Amino acid sequence: MLPKTNFTPPFAITRASHVSLAVTDLERSRDFYRDVIGLVVTEETDDAIYLRGLEEAAHHSLVLGRGAEAKALRVGLRVRTDEDILAAEKHFAEVGIEHQRVEKPHQGPTLQFRDPVGTHMELTSSMDVVPRKMQNFNEFVGGAPQRLDHYQVVTYDVQAATDFWTGLGMRMSEYTATDGTDELWGSWMEVKGNTHDLVFTNGRGPRLHHFAYAVPDGSSLLHAADVAGALGFGDEIDRGPGRHGISNALFLYLRDPDQHRVELFNTHYQFIDLETPPIRWDTSNARRAQLWGMPASRRWFYEASEFPGEPVNEPQLMAGPGTLEDYLGLH
C-alpha cells in the first residue's frame, strides 16, 4: 500500500546531511576520499577525519573514524532548529522509539536513534560553518563533489521503513513495486525538493548500500573514473558510468578501501510541487536501474555495509533483481 506523506510532521527534517563510517586504515581511507573522490579535508584528529564537498559550508558531511571493523556508523539528517530536536525527542518518547542525546564535535544538538527497521540514524540542527570552496576551481580534483545528496539503505521491510519516514514528512518521488501491485520493492523519498534524500530497497538489512555526492557535470564522473584508474583504484569502480531510470541521474559508484560504497552523480530533477504524483516502476522493468548499458553486478545488488551490533534480517520479498552475471549467463 502506498503511504501518504504527513504534511504536518512533529519536527522539520530539511535534508540529508552527514554520514559516519568506521574504517580500518584511516590514512588510506582519507587518501581515497580526498584524492580519488575529491572531497575537502576539514579536520584531522588521531582517531577521526572530517570531510566535506566543495560547496558545503557545514564542517563535515563525511566522518571517518578509526575502527577494528569496517561499519556504517550513522546516517545523518538535518532538522531546521534546536526546537526540532526537542520535538523529535518528545515524539520518539510518545511512539516508543529509543533515542539518546549525544555530544558530537562541530555539531549542535544531536539526537541518535534506530528507525523501525534498524537503520542507525542521527539528527542534528546545526554545524560549525567553514568557507565554501565552490569557486576554488584550482582545487577541483577527482570527481569534484559539491555536496552530500542522499543515502540508500537496504532493508528487509520497505513498507515499514517508508511508512515511518513519510510519517515524518518525507515525500515519495519514485518507487518500484511487484508487477501489477503496490507491494513496495523500493522507495525514493525526499524533503529538499529533488528526487531523494533517503532510499530504501529490498534485501538483507538493515545495511547502508551507499551515500552519494552531487558533482558538477557528467565529465566529472569520467574524470573520477580516470583518477581512480591512475591511482590504482580502478578495480574499485563498482558500477557505471551509466544513467538510472529512477531519478534520471548519471552515476558512478566506487568502493573505498574498506568496501563502503560511494556514488558520484549528476542531473536528477526537481520534485517540489505537491500535486505531482510519484513515478512507479515495475520490478520487471530493468530500465529503472539502468536506462542504458548492462545491469549491475551481483556485488552491487547484494553487498552493503552493516551497522555495528545490528542483526541483519532476510527480506520479506525474496525475488531478486536481474544482475550482470544473469545477463551474461554466468554462474
Side-chain angles (χ1 to χ4, degrees), residues 3 26 83 91 108 110 121 147 163 169 195 202 226 232 242 280 321 327:
L26 189 58
E83 286 71 25
H91 175 71
T110 299
M121 303 297 305
R147 63 191 178 278
D163 288 343
T195 56
N202 183 71
D226 280 339
R280 184 191 187 284
Y327 182 83

Side-chain angles (χ1 to χ4, degrees), residues 98-257:
E98 293 185 7
H99 58 281
Q100 61 177 342
R101 184 81 74 96
V102 298
E103 297 292 328
K104 298 293 288 287
H106 309 290
Q107 295 180 193
T110 299
L111 189 67
Q112 294 182 341
F113 66 100
R114 293 167 61 257
D115 73 6
V117 294
T119 317
H120 289 203
M121 303 297 305
E122 180 171 290
L123 304 175
T124 192
S125 54
S126 62
M127 282 192 189
D128 292 347
V129 175
V130 295
R132 298 183 193 269
K133 289 179 172 283
M134 60 188 176
Q135 292 183 336
N136 291 30
F137 297 111
N138 56 307
E139 299 183 38
F140 281 33
V141 298
Q146 301 295 291
R147 63 191 178 278
L148 185 75
D149 186 81
H150 66 266
Y151 315 100
Q152 182 168 320
V153 176
V154 186
T155 181
Y156 60 94
D157 191 339
V158 174
Q159 184 73 54
T162 307
D163 288 343
F164 176 79
W165 287 101
T166 53
L168 294 179
M170 288 200 171
R171 185 167 164 238
M172 194 164 63
S173 64
E174 303 198 28
Y175 66 100
T176 59
T178 305
D179 293 27
T181 76
D182 281 331
E183 185 178 58
L184 288 178
W185 180 271
S187 60
W188 280 250
M189 292 177 287
E190 64 79 31
V191 289
K192 67 179 181 300
N194 60 21
T195 56
H196 46 311
D197 289 275
L198 185 58
V199 177
F200 287 94
T201 53
N202 183 71
R204 296 181 63 249
R207 295 179 297 157
L208 178 63
H209 185 271
H210 71 266
F211 56 101
Y213 280 89
V215 301
D217 50 41
S219 65
S220 301
L221 304 178
L222 298 177
H223 188 250
D226 280 339
V227 171
L231 294 180
F233 288 96
D235 289 344
E236 300 304 343
I237 294 175
D238 200 36
R239 187 179 181 188
R243 185 184 291 277
H244 290 309
I246 295 173
S247 82
N248 197 43
L250 294 168
F251 64 81
L252 177 72
Y253 294 89
L254 303 100
R255 304 286 282 271
D256 77 5

Side-chain angles (χ1 to χ4, degrees), residues 5-128:
T5 296
N6 178 6
F7 290 110
T8 57
F11 55 93
I13 301 169
T14 61
R15 64 178 180 90
S17 171
H18 58 288
V19 61
S20 303
L21 306 175
V23 298
T24 58
D25 186 330
L26 189 58
E27 291 72 26
R28 182 163 167 77
S29 292
R30 173 204 60 203
D31 293 350
F32 172 82
Y33 284 104
R34 180 192 63 198
D35 301 336
V36 178
I37 302 302
L39 292 173
V40 176
V41 175
T42 307
E43 182 181 352
E44 297 188 48
T45 70
D46 289 342
D47 296 314
I49 296 176
Y50 299 84
L51 303 101
R52 70 187 194 274
L54 287 150
E55 73 175 36
E56 291 180 311
H59 180 272
H60 56 269
S61 53
L62 173 62
V63 183
L64 305 175
R66 195 186 305 275
E69 294 182 283
K71 296 289 183 180
L73 299 178
R74 292 282 166 180
V75 174
L77 300 170
R78 283 288 291 268
V79 296
R80 192 169 301 281
T81 66
D82 294 357
E83 286 71 25
D84 289 297
I85 294 290
L86 295 173
E89 288 180 308
K90 180 176 182 293
H91 175 71
F92 291 154
E94 290 172 350
V95 299
I97 296 289
E98 293 185 7
H99 58 281
Q100 61 177 342
R101 184 81 74 96
V102 298
E103 297 292 328
K104 298 293 288 287
H106 309 290
Q107 295 180 193
T110 299
L111 189 67
Q112 294 182 341
F113 66 100
R114 293 167 61 257
D115 73 6
V117 294
T119 317
H120 289 203
M121 303 297 305
E122 180 171 290
L123 304 175
T124 192
S125 54
S126 62
M127 282 192 189
D128 292 347

